[in-house]
Amino acid sequence: DGITAEDHHLADIVKQGTTPCIFVVNKVDNEQYYDQNDIYSLGFTDPVEISAVHGLAIDVLLDRICAMIPEVTGHTPPAVDFSLCIIGEPNAGKSTLLNRLLQEERAIVSEIAGTTRDSIEEVIEHGGCRIRLIDTAGIKRKRKVHDSTSVFSLSRAKEAIRKSDIVLVLFDAEKGPQRDTRALFEFIEQWKKTVLLVVNKWDLVKGVEMAQYERELKELNAFLRYLPVLFISALNGRNVDKIMDHAITLWKRYTADIKTSILNDLVARLNNDGTLPSHLKIKYMTQIGHKPPSFMAFVNSKKIVTDNHYHHIINQVVETFDLNGVQINLIIKES
């Protein structure tokens, strides 16, 4: 519809720099006429005429973008043993914790919620492992989102969870996990991620024992029952040094390899200890995958396996092989 004063102002800023520029004219629908003299008054040439709404000439624009991207050679991403992401609500102390873990001022620390907007990735070494740390912007879901930062924060947190092996859920001890943090458990549970619950700012809590706090926390959601909990103060460093030790332990459980012979010792016990009905027999169990540990159990009849039986078998696998904090997959097949 024409050039505005703001367009001229932005064009002047772009022309002062050295970054390559693509000149795009949008809302050119069905090759309709527009004032080219007006468009060229910005001082750019060779425009790409598109309609974003109708998707016209977007392929031309993408080709132009790809042609301008410099070729990168000789770059190899650093090899890591596992990835750990840190998620939580705004102002839960994620940036302070990240700086403690990195022992440097890598993230901006502020009392203003929403300071961290982009994901920050760093690789550290601990206990013989190379660990990629991913710190995300604080999550804040709204019924009506008017701030694009909130939309991208949720999206980035979900993406960080998806590509991580271990999820560190950080929250303020005085507030507890808020609705927005609890909502992310849906994705953690769906993608079978390993979790460490970290209660930050514990130094501010008075008159409450850790055991009581943990018990009440886990009563909020059955999913939390077997998750490890660590109480810290990122500000003064209390217990921060234990986080990576816990993470490595969880990683070893997440990648656990259990021999079939040992699994079937458990099968024999389950068949004979009276915890399963006498007409249900597990004939064989074997591990079929890792990250998370995945198992297949063959039974005499699938239709008599109730949800209670299924979860009992899972719980016994978790307790017998010390897989607390790890969600496992169990597939029941009929022999």
Side-chain angles (χ1 to χ4, degrees), residues 19 35 38 40 79 101 103 130 142 191 244 252 256 263:
T19 304
D35 188 345
D38 187 27
Y40 282 112
L101 294 172
Q103 297 182 340
R130 287 177 60 83
K142 301 179 181 178
W191 294 326
M244 288 298 109
K252 291 177 180 177
L263 279 170

Side-chain angles (χ1 to χ4, degrees), residues 97-222:
L97 175 59
L98 186 68
N99 289 334
R100 282 278 181 185
L101 294 172
L102 296 174
Q103 297 182 340
E104 61 180 71
E105 294 297 316
R106 174 63 177 84
I108 301 169
V109 179
S110 171
E111 290 300 317
I112 303 172
T115 305
T116 304
R117 297 201 171 196
D118 295 310
S119 294
I120 298 170
E121 295 192 14
E122 294 283 356
V123 176
I124 67 170
E125 293 188 10
H126 184 89
C129 290
R130 287 177 60 83
I131 305 163
R132 177 180 289 112
L133 293 180
I134 306 171
D135 177 42
T136 59
I139 306 307
K140 193 65 179 175
R141 296 200 319 174
K142 301 179 181 178
R143 294 185 182 277
K144 293 183 179 180
V145 179
H146 301 290
D147 180 4
S148 62
T149 303
S150 299
V151 177
F152 285 113
S153 293
L154 177 61
S155 176
R156 286 170 182 149
K158 288 167 61 177
E159 176 63 16
I161 292 170
R162 188 191 63 78
K163 69 180 184 179
S164 296
D165 300 298
I166 299 171
V167 181
L168 191 157
V169 181
L170 184 76
F171 56 89
D172 188 317
E174 292 185 305
K175 298 177 181 178
Q178 301 297 294
R179 182 186 65 178
D180 306 318
T181 297
R182 295 198 300 269
L184 291 173
F185 285 133
E186 173 187 343
F187 304 105
I188 295 171
E189 190 170 10
Q190 176 185 340
W191 294 326
K192 300 288 186 183
K193 298 299 181 178
T194 302
V195 183
L196 175 61
L197 297 173
V198 179
V199 185
N200 191 24
K201 306 181 184 181
W202 183 248
D203 52 310
L204 302 180
V205 176
K206 308 299 181 184
V208 180
E209 297 292 331
M210 288 184 183
Q212 176 189 346
Y213 189 100
E214 181 174 344
R215 184 172 59 256
E216 293 175 355
L217 168 66
K218 292 186 174 183
E219 287 174 353
L220 294 174
N221 193 321

